[in-house]
């Protein structure tokens, strides 16, 4: 459902990625595409590829924050589990 969308999709409903020729192609959140296919196609036709956030840029920004753990690329569900495990451990230490 819409409320279960990953935060990446919430932040960037339409984002840009580079194809093999380094041309920016548009990508839209799959949940939005499934729920509103006609609107999704209209948006993809109307959005200027030069104005959308590039996922590779934002990924490199997070990677450059400095923690070596950020350089490990995981599928989204495993990354979320890892983050929640760390938050849970941190919360346990706060209660001591």
């Amino acid at each position: 459902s819409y409320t279960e969308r990953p935060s990446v999709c919430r932040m960037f409903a339409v984002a840009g990625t580079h194809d093999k020729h380094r041309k920016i192609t548009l990508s839209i959140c799959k949940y939005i595409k499934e729920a509103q296919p006609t609107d999704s196609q209209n948006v993809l036709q109307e959005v200027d590829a030069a104005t959308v956030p590039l996922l590779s840029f934002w990924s490199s920004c997070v990677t450059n924050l400095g923690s070596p753990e950020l350089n490990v690329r995981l599928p989204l569900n495993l990354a979320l589990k890892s983050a929640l495990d760390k938050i849970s451990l941190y919360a346990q230490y706060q209660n001591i």
Side-chain angles (χ1 to χ4, degrees), residues 11-91:
M11 290 186 296
F12 306 120
V14 177
T17 59
H18 287 105
D19 66 11
K20 65 181 181 180
H21 302 292
R22 301 289 299 156
K23 180 182 175 196
I24 296 174
T25 58
L26 297 176
S27 174
I28 196 164
C29 174
K30 80 173 190 174
Y31 293 105
I32 294 174
K33 267 198 292 196
E34 291 171 359
Q36 301 170 343
T38 304
D39 291 339
S40 297
Q41 285 303 317
N42 292 341
V43 167
L44 289 175
Q45 291 171 0
E46 294 173 10
V47 171
D48 179 11
T51 64
V52 297
L54 290 175
L55 293 176
S56 58
F57 171 77
W58 290 104
S59 175
S60 68
C61 287
V62 170
T63 301
N64 290 328
L65 288 175
S67 174
E69 293 175 346
L70 295 174
N71 293 326
V72 177
R73 298 183 75 96
L74 297 171
L76 187 57
N77 59 343
L78 293 178
L80 181 59
K81 181 187 180 317
S82 176
L84 291 174
D85 288 344
K86 290 175 186 172
I87 291 169
S88 176
L89 181 62
Y90 178 76

